[in-house]
Amino acid sequence: MTRLSRLRAREFGVELGSMETGRHNAITDVDGVGVGHSTLIEGDSVRTGVTAIAPHAGDLTEDKVIAAVDLFNAYGKSTGLPQVIYEGVLETPIMLTETLNTWRVADAVVDYNRERMGLDSRSLNVVVGETNGDYLTDNKGRHIGVKHVFEALDFARSPAGRGMVQEGNVGGGTPMTGYGFKGGIGTSSRVGDSFTIGALVQLNCGSKEDLMISGVPVGREITLPSEPTISSGNSIMMIIATDLAVDSRQLWKMAKRAALGLARTGTYSSNGSGDFTIAFTSGKKHHTKHGDDFLNPVYKATVEATEEAIVNALFAAETMTGYEGHIRYAIPLEQLIEIFGRYGRDFSSR
Amino acid sequence: MTRLSRLRAREFGVELGSMETGRHNAITDVDGVGVGHSTLIEGDSVRTGVTAIAPHAGDLTEDKVIAAVDLFNAYGKSTGLPQVIYEGVLETPIMLTETLNTWRVADAVVDYNRERMGLDSRSLNVVVGETNGDYLTDNKGRHIGVKHVFEALDFARSPAGRGMVQEGNVGGGTPMTGYGFKGGIGTSSRVGDSFTIGALVQLNCGSKEDLMISGVPVGREITLPSEPTISSGNSIMMIIATDLAVDSRQLWKMAKRAALGLARTGTYSSNGSGDFTIAFTSGKKHHTKHGDDFLNPVYKATVEATEEAIVNALFAAETMTGYEGHIRYAIPLEQLIEIFGRYGRDFSSR
Amino acid sequence: MTRLSRLRAREFGVELGSMETGRHNAITDVDGVGVGHSTLIEGDSVRTGVTAIAPHAGDLTEDKVIAAVDLFNAYGKSTGLPQVIYEGVLETPIMLTETLNTWRVADAVVDYNRERMGLDSRSLNVVVGETNGDYLTDNKGRHIGVKHVFEALDFARSPAGRGMVQEGNVGGGTPMTGYGFKGGIGTSSRVGDSFTIGALVQLNCGSKEDLMISGVPVGREITLPSEPTISSGNSIMMIIATDLAVDSRQLWKMAKRAALGLARTGTYSSNGSGDFTIAFTSGKKHHTKHGDDFLNPVYKATVEATEEAIVNALFAAETMTGYEGHIRYAIPLEQLIEIFGRYGRDFSSR
Amino acid sequence: MTRLSRLRAREFGVELGSMETGRHNAITDVDGVGVGHSTLIEGDSVRTGVTAIAPHAGDLTEDKVIAAVDLFNAYGKSTGLPQVIYEGVLETPIMLTETLNTWRVADAVVDYNRERMGLDSRSLNVVVGETNGDYLTDNKGRHIGVKHVFEALDFARSPAGRGMVQEGNVGGGTPMTGYGFKGGIGTSSRVGDSFTIGALVQLNCGSKEDLMISGVPVGREITLPSEPTISSGNSIMMIIATDLAVDSRQLWKMAKRAALGLARTGTYSSNGSGDFTIAFTSGKKHHTKHGDDFLNPVYKATVEATEEAIVNALFAAETMTGYEGHIRYAIPLEQLIEIFGRYGRDFSSR
């Protein structure tokens, strides 16, 4: 679980927005937030996993965090979202996994609360998001179980979980595809005047010809050994964290901006694409009464961090062969350098 | 699974609305709709189950039905609802169970599709609703598994599932409480000019002092051997079926009226009450283009059928002792006769 | 503008819920809230007006109040609601009028702010609600103008506006119909442990046969000199005020409960019925972070106050003859006494 | 009203998406749709107008069109949208104007229906959208009246209204600002396999530094004689038309994609930006029952047409001086050529 080999987009010189990033350029730059992955790669056909995003390391059933949901295109099997919309809080970490494992992951969070947290909940609103990885993994096998959920949650709640975040073919993102290239987990952050915004995505959406990076239509310029065929999976989960003292309505308006960051990477949001955003704040205090104009830099940060998280997922993910011999190619960075050069973005020199 | 001993409200003479019922006064009066229960009562502490409502007996992944959802108060762990809202279709039967069994039931529907239907779905939007029965059942045990889901679905899809519907302490309703009395499953129907409406509820909401039946404040008039203490479970799942050729938007407006039927039984919808309505139509043809005023009798039928389904749940459910020796009393029909008499509703003479 | 002749429902002995009312049993029991009517009754055909509900007497563009909206059935021409939903605040009083006067009333509020408040707003989210009174008034004449809006707002912002509230054939309610009887404005309040809830309705919905009061099916029992024919107007505006320190999401959940109070009076919410609820709080401080269970008595108060406001509108409204000789009869209180007696509600003796 | 002097973006060689446009590259490419402007430019301070988009030239109260609304960020004073959401139809043309004229325009549509259409409606759900032009026009004067509304509607319903569409400083767009440059009205269309999509925008949103055209960050590269200061107005109305046989739910999903087209031009959607989309279809027949995957090219067309409509607004609008001597500069096309060249988009040679 310690591979960080490929450069991230920003290290490569890709410019995505104008605001400053946090220390790790990750959702973990938001105070208290931890991320853990459990990655399951076995044999020829199993390429799956689960990712946990913990708003804090404590007991969320007791110390809930304010939260909100935007359903840009609610094609998806996620659990727990209606209650978040009405109650405005999260009472579990957010879990990300592969479609057909969704319910097993949710069920295993109940086990985790009992066994690891000593909680005896008789009701629990478990939040699980999913995207479909059936092109690279035998998803019908539903291989994710209690032990993977425990591994992801344990790590997310540990001090190590609050540092650098692994991206690409890890956790829930293991078998995913982004714009016809290998996709998966990506993250980024922005720091403004008295606030931090973090984004983490599980990228599994988009068609190759639509991909734009920093406004450059790289998708149609890049050539691959074989052009991607359509997979049935085609979604994105976007998680937005902040430390701002905002209420659920304000978080919802922030969450809606994540779709604008997604749009900058070129997708039109296909019908079968579940484009969900879940936002939460670790901020303890409520904002004082005033208008929402103070949110403008926060919205901008949300757009930028989401866009960069998506691009980071593409930069980090490596070529993978899986189920039925299917292959997804990593986005070829050498071609990117050349294409960016032609489009006036000489980022390789940075 | 064959107890139908207690009289239904209408047989008793309770008047609930003015429209005619269908043959069975049940959701199964809607052509093609089937209902199946699996009830698990074991030892002192296990009182649970699962109920399946099948819009038709065929393959719903192929022959989807138009559907809609109303989230009156979305405190609940139901699965699959966001996609129904956006896509406007159901691709599985609706399953009703107890809170902590929700995800196991969803997962088992995948098994059912594979093993019983021969389907090999790599994505499936399973719809499960739940209410919390922890007062009478050891819900932490999550006792519902694949075999119970198979039993409920097999029955719902059989010819027998399209007839009379068992009510009260059956299926997902087994451990539930309604207005401080024993609750559970109830159903009713209304037939209008060229349409049928069916309602089925899993009743687990309300406080005793608020219960009204046919406008009579019976809750505060009835005395029980011991007054109910508050349970953590407090929700209602309302399923509305029709054979009308309507679109999803129109079904959504119908679904919203179910809450009005609920309101007639007296609840104010407590904060922890998940008051969800899922509506679907077995109608094959699309309506022709015109306004929605033709829906007025349909709305009225929805209100009436929902109200009567709730009252039927109370009439059918029998006193139950369960987890930790907790007891829920059936609504005492003898007292009802006397109270109704005082309120000018001499229904016992009918 | 000083008629208060008929008894209110509660004075008559009708029991509607169990909570205590505030001093005036009116929305003005919420600290700071004022109500003003301008009633225009001229010749044979003009029966209209406008009602203003001011959350406080000051400058709302500067000192906005937290607000929320529930669209139970959004058939209606109200203005300003989308922005209230997103921003969670009101920046004008709420105006209630007759359908075709909606935009003239909104435009006149801009004049009021300039001329009476000394404000020079270049943007203003004016909130106007409406119901259709074309059965009794020549609504095509659009008779409401600046002077009526000024009169209603001046009164609402005066000390007198914060006292007793006129009900029935006044202000925006002048030509309205409720359940086939003469309808109009009604109000009520409830006081709980550390909070007050006020409701004000402009009642123009329902069919006679559906009317229930305190659970008694009075609509079908009452006989009128001539049975009501259907009018095109068929809506209700429900305004909920509180002094609780809640956020917009919580107010929204409160607002949704108003529809439950409406349901208790028997309507199924016809397709052309605009059933809108606007809720606001005059509470200055934000609630501290916790769950929403503390709202349960608040929900109950909202249901009760809404139900009673509707019944008060019916009790207060007097028989009116108007446009094209149309007539709407006041609900006959003598018949009510007799009917209630038969249904075990001997309220005349109180 | 006949100025079409500046080149449109596509004529200039700017590439925006990959699909084909319709004949006029305008919303009027959708069969039956007409557009009319009334532009009011008087003295130093009056720079305003109104634009009408007529789904067809007939009586919309009788022959309603299926419609839907997306409220991406509902900061705005538009009228009529809640009813469109619930009923799924338009019964008037869509009017676009300046904020404080909104209600006068709505009221004038009633007059139009009476005087020009011979209709005697006693209820009418008038749809008006607005953006705030107070920087260049004396909006407090509310200069738009019945005659302007009549002019715009007459033209929109005439054969001439169904041809080329004027863009830039016309109609409702007259005083508007886009990304710090002169904005206003823009339009575009896309033609797919058996469908046409048209978009028309009233552009008044965005900050200069955020503007991207075809992925090129032109906003921060362009220098103006004086950098734009922030104006209070900051919104966009997006109108989407199609001839597809779709229902309101499907139109709503299409409408949501307009925000993705907006995002491609760089905005993060500021808090005070009312970003509304209204979609309608002139298609008479209902789609047959199947999934929504056939909408994928339609979504793509919606994104592309919206993006190009926005860029067309910027290309068409000319420098304007107005209220209090304020000036908004047209986007300098010469600089654009140079900047595009540096970014590998040598469009001047086309």
Side-chain angles (χ1 to χ4, degrees):
Chain A
M1 279 186 66
T2 50
R3 185 184 47 79
L4 282 169
S5 56
R6 286 170 60 124
L7 288 176
R8 305 181 75 193
R10 183 167 290 267
E11 296 160 348
F12 216 87
V14 179
E15 190 181 6
L16 295 157
S18 59
M19 296 179 70
E20 296 293 310
T21 71
R23 179 179 172 205
H24 297 300
N25 190 19
I27 197 169
T28 51
D29 291 325
V30 176
D31 193 40
V33 176
V35 174
H37 303 297
S38 175
T39 305
L40 182 64
I41 298 180
E42 288 180 351
D44 289 343
S45 296
V46 180
R47 307 279 184 271
T48 190
V50 60
T51 294
I53 301 104
H56 60 67
D59 173 6
L60 278 156
T61 68
E62 192 61 34
D63 191 14
K64 298 176 168 69
V65 293
I66 296 172
V69 169
D70 177 52
L71 305 174
F72 185 79
N73 191 42
Y75 197 106
K77 289 73 188 167
S78 56
T79 70
L81 303 188
Q83 183 166 325
V84 175
I85 294 171
Y86 277 58
E87 293 303 292
V89 290
L90 281 176
E91 61 186 36
T92 69
I94 299 164
M95 311 300 292
L96 303 177
T97 190
E98 201 281 334
T99 302
L100 287 187
N101 296 288
T102 301
W103 311 289
R104 293 187 179 185
V105 168
D107 196 58
V109 171
V110 176
D111 294 301
Y112 187 89
N113 269 14
R114 185 159 309 151
E115 297 182 25
R116 280 291 206 278
M117 310 284 291
L119 298 171
D120 210 26
S121 304
R122 291 150 76 163
S123 181
L124 190 67
N125 188 46
V126 186
V127 173
V128 183
E130 53 77 34
T131 62
N132 193 304
D134 66 1
Y135 188 73
L136 288 177
T137 193
D138 165 34
N139 80 333
K140 295 177 291 183
R142 288 172 282 170
H143 298 281
I144 301 300
V146 168
K147 72 175 177 181
H148 311 103
V149 167
F150 277 43
E151 182 186 26
L153 280 168
D154 279 345
F155 194 85
R157 295 177 58 242
S158 72
R162 295 193 287 279
M164 297 283 284
V165 174
Q166 283 191 296
E167 296 172 301
N169 303 350
V170 290
T174 302
M176 302 305 163
T177 293
Y179 288 101
F181 303 100
K182 186 68 191 67
I185 301 293
T187 189
S188 182
S189 70
R190 291 296 183 276
V191 176
D193 183 20
S194 78
F195 70 86
T196 300
I197 293 286
L200 182 145
V201 302
Q202 180 166 307
L203 172 68
N204 193 43
C205 72
S207 297
K208 176 172 174 291
E209 67 268 22
D210 294 329
L211 178 61
M212 295 193 300
I213 295 181
S214 191
V216 177
V218 298
R220 62 180 198 228
E221 299 273 4
I222 291 173
T223 55
L224 291 180
S226 65
E227 287 300 295
T229 53
I230 291 156
S231 83
S232 65
N234 210 359
S235 297
I236 185 168
M237 292 296 311
M238 299 175 273
I239 314 302
I240 305 296
T242 188
D243 53 2
L244 266 171
V246 285
D247 67 19
S248 178
R249 179 186 55 78
Q250 292 167 323
L251 273 171
W252 168 63
K253 296 203 300 184
M254 285 172 53
K256 289 180 75 68
R257 270 65 185 184
L260 304 181
L262 170 62
R264 291 191 191 202
T265 60
T267 191
Y268 59 82
S269 184
S270 76
N271 195 69
S273 189
D275 302 336
F276 294 83
T277 305
I278 305 170
F280 65 84
T281 179
S282 60
K284 297 290 183 195
K285 28 181 216 310
H286 257 280
H287 70 109
T288 51
K289 186 175 159 190
H290 47 46
D292 292 349
D293 283 349
F294 77 98
L295 290 173
N296 281 335
V298 181
Y299 294 153
K300 188 180 179 78
T302 303
V303 173
E304 291 190 5
T306 305
E307 182 185 11
E308 185 160 336
I310 292 167
V311 178
N312 276 339
L314 291 168
F315 271 65
E318 297 183 43
T319 297
M320 177 178 277
T321 305
Y323 185 62
E324 295 184 339
H326 293 155
I327 186 162
R328 284 289 182 220
Y329 295 100
I331 197 165
L333 301 184
E334 306 70 20
Q335 288 189 49
L336 273 186
I337 294 173
E338 186 274 327
I339 295 163
F340 269 63
R342 276 196 279 125
Y343 280 86
R345 319 289 179 101
D346 189 19
F347 65 59
S348 64
S349 63
R350 297 192 185 197
Chain B
M1 276 185 68
T2 52
R3 186 182 46 77
L4 281 168
S5 57
R6 286 168 62 123
L7 288 176
R8 304 182 75 193
R10 182 168 290 267
E11 296 159 350
F12 216 87
V14 178
E15 191 182 3
L16 295 156
S18 59
M19 297 179 71
E20 295 293 310
T21 71
R23 179 180 172 204
H24 297 300
N25 189 20
I27 196 170
T28 51
D29 291 325
V30 177
D31 194 39
V33 177
V35 175
H37 303 296
S38 176
T39 305
L40 182 63
I41 299 181
E42 287 180 352
D44 290 341
S45 296
V46 179
R47 307 279 183 273
T48 191
V50 61
T51 293
I53 301 105
H56 60 66
D59 174 6
L60 279 156
T61 67
E62 193 59 35
D63 191 13
K64 297 177 170 68
V65 294
I66 296 172
V69 168
D70 176 53
L71 305 174
F72 185 80
N73 191 43
Y75 196 107
K77 289 74 188 169
S78 55
T79 71
L81 302 188
Q83 184 167 324
V84 175
I85 293 171
Y86 276 59
E87 293 303 291
V89 290
L90 280 176
E91 62 185 36
T92 69
I94 300 164
M95 312 301 290
L96 302 178
T97 192
E98 202 282 334
T99 302
L100 288 186
N101 295 289
T102 300
W103 310 290
R104 292 189 178 184
V105 167
D107 195 59
V109 172
V110 176
D111 294 301
Y112 187 89
N113 270 14
R114 185 159 307 151
E115 295 182 27
R116 281 289 206 278
M117 311 285 291
L119 298 172
D120 211 25
S121 304
R122 290 150 78 164
S123 182
L124 190 67
N125 187 46
V126 186
V127 173
V128 183
E130 52 78 34
T131 62
N132 193 304
D134 67 359
Y135 188 74
L136 287 176
T137 194
D138 165 33
N139 80 334
K140 296 177 291 183
R142 288 172 282 169
H143 298 281
I144 301 299
V146 168
K147 72 175 178 181
H148 310 104
V149 167
F150 276 44
E151 183 186 24
L153 280 168
D154 279 346
F155 194 86
R157 295 178 57 241
S158 73
R162 294 193 287 282
M164 297 282 285
V165 175
Q166 283 191 296
E167 297 173 301
N169 302 348
V170 290
T174 302
M176 303 304 164
T177 294
Y179 289 100
F181 303 100
K182 187 65 192 68
I185 300 293
T187 188
S188 182
S189 71
R190 291 295 183 277
V191 176
D193 183 20
S194 78
F195 70 87
T196 300
I197 294 286
L200 183 145
V201 302
Q202 180 166 306
L203 172 67
N204 194 43
C205 72
S207 297
K208 178 172 173 289
E209 67 268 22
D210 293 328
L211 178 61
M212 293 193 303
I213 295 181
S214 191
V216 177
V218 299
R220 62 181 198 225
E221 300 272 3
I222 291 173
T223 54
L224 290 180
S226 64
E227 288 298 296
T229 52
I230 292 156
S231 84
S232 64
N234 210 358
S235 296
I236 184 167
M237 293 296 310
M238 297 175 275
I239 314 302
I240 305 295
T242 187
D243 54 1
L244 268 171
V246 285
D247 67 18
S248 178
R249 179 186 55 78
Q250 293 167 322
L251 273 171
W252 167 64
K253 296 204 299 184
M254 285 172 53
K256 289 180 75 68
R257 269 66 184 183
L260 304 181
L262 170 62
R264 291 191 192 205
T265 60
T267 191
Y268 58 83
S269 184
S270 76
N271 195 70
S273 189
D275 302 337
F276 293 83
T277 304
I278 305 169
F280 64 85
T281 180
S282 60
K284 298 289 182 196
K285 18 178 229 307
H286 258 279
H287 72 108
T288 51
K289 185 175 158 190
H290 48 46
D292 292 350
D293 283 350
F294 77 98
L295 290 173
N296 281 334
V298 181
Y299 295 154
K300 187 180 180 78
T302 304
V303 173
E304 290 191 6
T306 305
E307 181 184 12
E308 186 160 335
I310 292 167
V311 178
N312 277 338
L314 291 169
F315 271 65
E318 296 183 44
T319 297
M320 177 177 277
T321 306
Y323 185 62
E324 295 184 337
H326 293 156
I327 185 162
R328 284 289 182 221
Y329 294 100
I331 196 164
L333 300 184
E334 305 71 19
Q335 288 189 48
L336 273 185
I337 295 173
E338 186 273 329
I339 295 162
F340 268 63
R342 277 196 277 126
Y343 281 86
R345 318 289 180 99
D346 189 21
F347 66 62
S348 62
S349 63
R350 298 192 184 197
Chain C
M1 278 186 66
T2 51
R3 186 181 47 77
L4 282 168
S5 57
R6 286 169 61 122
L7 288 176
R8 305 181 74 193
R10 183 168 290 266
E11 296 160 349
F12 216 87
V14 179
E15 191 181 4
L16 295 157
S18 59
M19 296 180 71
E20 296 293 310
T21 70
R23 177 180 172 203
H24 297 299
N25 190 18
I27 198 170
T28 50
D29 291 327
V30 176
D31 194 39
V33 176
V35 174
H37 303 297
S38 175
T39 306
L40 182 64
I41 298 181
E42 287 180 351
D44 290 342
S45 297
V46 180
R47 308 278 184 272
T48 190
V50 61
T51 294
I53 301 104
H56 60 66
D59 174 6
L60 278 155
T61 67
E62 191 61 33
D63 190 13
K64 297 177 169 69
V65 293
I66 295 172
V69 168
D70 177 52
L71 305 174
F72 185 79
N73 191 43
Y75 196 106
K77 289 73 188 170
S78 56
T79 70
L81 302 189
Q83 183 167 325
V84 175
I85 293 170
Y86 276 59
E87 292 303 292
V89 290
L90 281 176
E91 61 186 36
T92 69
I94 299 165
M95 311 301 291
L96 303 178
T97 191
E98 202 282 333
T99 302
L100 287 187
N101 295 288
T102 301
W103 310 290
R104 292 188 178 184
V105 168
D107 195 59
V109 172
V110 176
D111 294 302
Y112 187 90
N113 269 15
R114 184 159 309 151
E115 296 183 26
R116 280 290 206 280
M117 310 285 291
L119 298 171
D120 211 26
S121 305
R122 290 150 78 164
S123 181
L124 190 68
N125 187 46
V126 186
V127 173
V128 183
E130 54 76 35
T131 62
N132 192 302
D134 67 0
Y135 188 73
L136 288 176
T137 194
D138 165 34
N139 80 333
K140 296 178 291 184
R142 287 172 283 170
H143 298 282
I144 301 300
V146 168
K147 72 176 177 181
H148 310 103
V149 168
F150 278 44
E151 182 186 25
L153 281 168
D154 279 345
F155 194 85
R157 296 177 58 240
S158 72
R162 294 193 287 280
M164 297 282 284
V165 174
Q166 284 191 297
E167 297 173 300
N169 302 349
V170 291
T174 303
M176 302 305 165
T177 293
Y179 289 100
F181 303 101
K182 186 66 192 66
I185 300 293
T187 189
S188 182
S189 70
R190 289 297 182 276
V191 177
D193 183 20
S194 78
F195 70 87
T196 299
I197 294 286
L200 183 144
V201 302
Q202 180 165 307
L203 171 68
N204 193 43
C205 72
S207 296
K208 177 172 173 291
E209 67 268 22
D210 294 329
L211 178 62
M212 294 193 301
I213 295 181
S214 191
V216 178
V218 298
R220 63 182 197 225
E221 299 273 4
I222 290 173
T223 54
L224 290 180
S226 64
E227 287 299 295
T229 53
I230 291 155
S231 83
S232 65
N234 211 359
S235 297
I236 185 167
M237 293 295 310
M238 297 174 276
I239 314 301
I240 304 296
T242 188
D243 53 1
L244 267 171
V246 285
D247 67 20
S248 177
R249 179 186 55 79
Q250 293 167 321
L251 274 171
W252 167 65
K253 296 203 301 183
M254 285 172 53
K256 289 180 75 69
R257 269 66 183 183
L260 304 182
L262 170 62
R264 291 190 191 205
T265 61
T267 191
Y268 58 82
S269 185
S270 76
N271 196 70
S273 189
D275 302 337
F276 293 82
T277 305
I278 305 170
F280 64 84
T281 180
S282 60
K284 298 289 182 195
K285 22 180 224 309
H286 257 281
H287 72 109
T288 51
K289 186 176 158 190
H290 47 45
D292 292 349
D293 283 349
F294 76 99
L295 290 173
N296 281 335
V298 181
Y299 296 153
K300 188 180 180 78
T302 303
V303 173
E304 291 191 5
T306 304
E307 182 185 13
E308 186 161 336
I310 291 167
V311 178
N312 277 339
L314 291 169
F315 270 65
E318 297 183 42
T319 297
M320 178 178 276
T321 305
Y323 185 62
E324 295 184 339
H326 293 155
I327 185 163
R328 284 289 183 219
Y329 294 100
I331 197 164
L333 302 184
E334 304 72 19
Q335 287 189 49
L336 274 185
I337 294 173
E338 186 274 327
I339 295 162
F340 268 64
R342 277 195 278 127
Y343 281 86
R345 319 287 180 103
D346 188 20
F347 65 61
S348 63
S349 63
R350 298 191 184 196
Chain D
M1 278 186 66
T2 52
R3 184 181 48 79
L4 281 168
S5 56
R6 287 169 60 123
L7 287 176
R8 303 181 76 193
R10 184 167 289 267
E11 296 160 349
F12 217 86
V14 179
E15 190 181 6
L16 296 156
S18 59
M19 297 180 70
E20 295 294 309
T21 71
R23 178 179 173 206
H24 297 301
N25 189 19
I27 197 170
T28 51
D29 291 326
V30 176
D31 194 40
V33 176
V35 175
H37 302 297
S38 177
T39 305
L40 182 64
I41 298 180
E42 288 180 351
D44 290 342
S45 296
V46 180
R47 308 278 184 272
T48 190
V50 61
T51 293
I53 300 104
H56 60 67
D59 174 7
L60 279 157
T61 67
E62 193 60 35
D63 192 12
K64 298 177 169 69
V65 294
I66 295 173
V69 168
D70 177 52
L71 305 174
F72 185 79
N73 191 43
Y75 197 107
K77 288 73 188 169
S78 56
T79 71
L81 302 188
Q83 184 166 325
V84 175
I85 293 171
Y86 276 59
E87 294 302 292
V89 290
L90 280 176
E91 61 186 37
T92 69
I94 299 164
M95 312 300 291
L96 302 178
T97 191
E98 202 282 334
T99 303
L100 288 186
N101 295 289
T102 301
W103 310 290
R104 292 187 179 185
V105 168
D107 195 59
V109 172
V110 176
D111 294 301
Y112 187 89
N113 269 15
R114 185 158 308 151
E115 296 182 26
R116 282 288 207 280
M117 310 285 290
L119 299 171
D120 210 27
S121 304
R122 289 151 77 163
S123 182
L124 191 67
N125 188 45
V126 186
V127 173
V128 182
E130 52 77 34
T131 62
N132 193 303
D134 67 0
Y135 188 74
L136 287 177
T137 194
D138 165 33
N139 81 333
K140 295 177 293 182
R142 288 172 282 171
H143 297 282
I144 299 301
V146 168
K147 72 175 179 182
H148 310 104
V149 167
F150 276 44
E151 183 186 25
L153 280 168
D154 279 346
F155 194 85
R157 296 177 57 240
S158 73
R162 295 193 287 280
M164 297 282 285
V165 175
Q166 283 191 296
E167 297 172 301
N169 303 348
V170 290
T174 302
M176 302 305 164
T177 294
Y179 288 100
F181 303 100
K182 187 66 191 69
I185 301 293
T187 188
S188 182
S189 70
R190 290 295 183 277
V191 176
D193 182 20
S194 78
F195 70 87
T196 300
I197 293 286
L200 183 145
V201 302
Q202 181 166 306
L203 172 67
N204 193 43
C205 72
S207 297
K208 176 171 174 290
E209 67 269 22
D210 293 329
L211 178 62
M212 294 193 301
I213 295 181
S214 192
V216 178
V218 298
R220 60 179 198 228
E221 299 273 3
I222 291 173
T223 54
L224 291 180
S226 65
E227 287 299 295
T229 51
I230 292 156
S231 83
S232 64
N234 210 358
S235 296
I236 184 166
M237 292 296 310
M238 298 174 275
I239 314 301
I240 305 295
T242 187
D243 53 2
L244 267 171
V246 285
D247 67 19
S248 178
R249 179 186 54 78
Q250 293 166 322
L251 273 172
W252 167 63
K253 296 204 298 184
M254 285 172 53
K256 289 180 75 69
R257 270 66 184 183
L260 304 181
L262 169 62
R264 291 191 191 203
T265 60
T267 190
Y268 58 83
S269 184
S270 75
N271 195 71
S273 189
D275 302 337
F276 293 83
T277 305
I278 305 169
F280 65 85
T281 178
S282 61
K284 297 290 183 195
K285 30 182 215 308
H286 257 281
H287 71 108
T288 51
K289 186 175 158 189
H290 47 46
D292 292 349
D293 283 349
F294 76 98
L295 290 173
N296 281 335
V298 181
Y299 295 153
K300 188 180 179 79
T302 303
V303 173
E304 291 191 5
T306 305
E307 181 184 12
E308 185 160 335
I310 291 167
V311 178
N312 277 339
L314 291 169
F315 271 65
E318 298 184 44
T319 298
M320 177 178 276
T321 306
Y323 186 62
E324 296 184 337
H326 293 156
I327 186 162
R328 284 289 182 221
Y329 294 100
I331 196 164
L333 301 184
E334 305 72 18
Q335 289 189 48
L336 274 185
I337 295 172
E338 186 274 328
I339 296 162
F340 268 64
R342 276 196 278 126
Y343 281 86
R345 318 290 179 100
D346 188 21
F347 65 61
S348 62
S349 63
R350 297 193 185 195

